[in-house]
Amino acid sequence: MCAYYDSESDHNGMFTVLAGFDGQSYPSNINIEQISIPKGKYLVFTHKGEMPQIAIDAWTEVWECFSNESCEHQRLFSTDFEYYPNGNEIEVHIAVQ
C-alpha cells in the first residue's frame, strides 16, 4: 500500500507519500509510522498485468480523467492511496467530492 496525503494544494503542490506493508512482520530497526485512511468517496482505477507498467497505466488514467473538462468528479487532494490485492494488480483510490 502507498498513501498520498498532506497535499499543499493541487497536483502542482507538495504532498507526503507513505509506503506501507501488511503490518504482519517487520525488522525491529525500522521506525513505523501509522496513518488512517479517512472514510469518504473514492474513485478507483484498477489495472492488472505486470509491474511497474500497471502503476504507470493506472496513474496515466487518473491524470487523463481529471484533466478532461467533461470529468464529472472533482478531486479533493486530501488522501489518495494505492492498494495491491496481489502482485499483478493495482487499485488507485482517488478522493473525490
Side-chain angles (χ1 to χ4, degrees), residues 15-33:
F15 54 89
T16 302
V17 178
L18 181 65
F21 68 104
D22 65 7
Q24 298 301 312
S25 63
Y26 58 91
S28 60
N29 63 343
I30 293 180
N31 276 338
I32 299 298
E33 183 175 337

Side-chain angles (χ1 to χ4, degrees), residues 3-80:
Y4 304 85
Y5 60 102
D6 288 341
S7 292
E8 190 176 74
S9 58
D10 58 12
H11 65 279
N12 294 310
M14 300 292 289
F15 54 89
T16 302
V17 178
L18 181 65
F21 68 104
D22 65 7
Q24 298 301 312
S25 63
Y26 58 91
S28 60
N29 63 343
I30 293 180
N31 276 338
I32 299 298
E33 183 175 337
Q34 185 175 356
I35 65 166
S36 295
I37 305 294
K39 290 181 182 180
K41 186 175 177 182
Y42 291 88
L43 191 58
V44 181
F45 299 82
T46 303
H47 284 264
K48 295 179 182 181
E50 292 191 28
M51 287 296 279
Q53 191 60 51
I54 58 173
I56 294 166
D57 293 345
W59 280 103
T60 298
E61 186 179 0
V62 169
W63 293 119
E64 288 174 352
C65 174
F66 291 102
S67 65
N68 186 333
E69 291 180 10
S70 64
C71 180
E72 61 188 69
H73 302 282
Q74 183 175 353
R75 190 169 175 188
L76 292 178
F77 294 97
S78 55
T79 301
D80 302 322

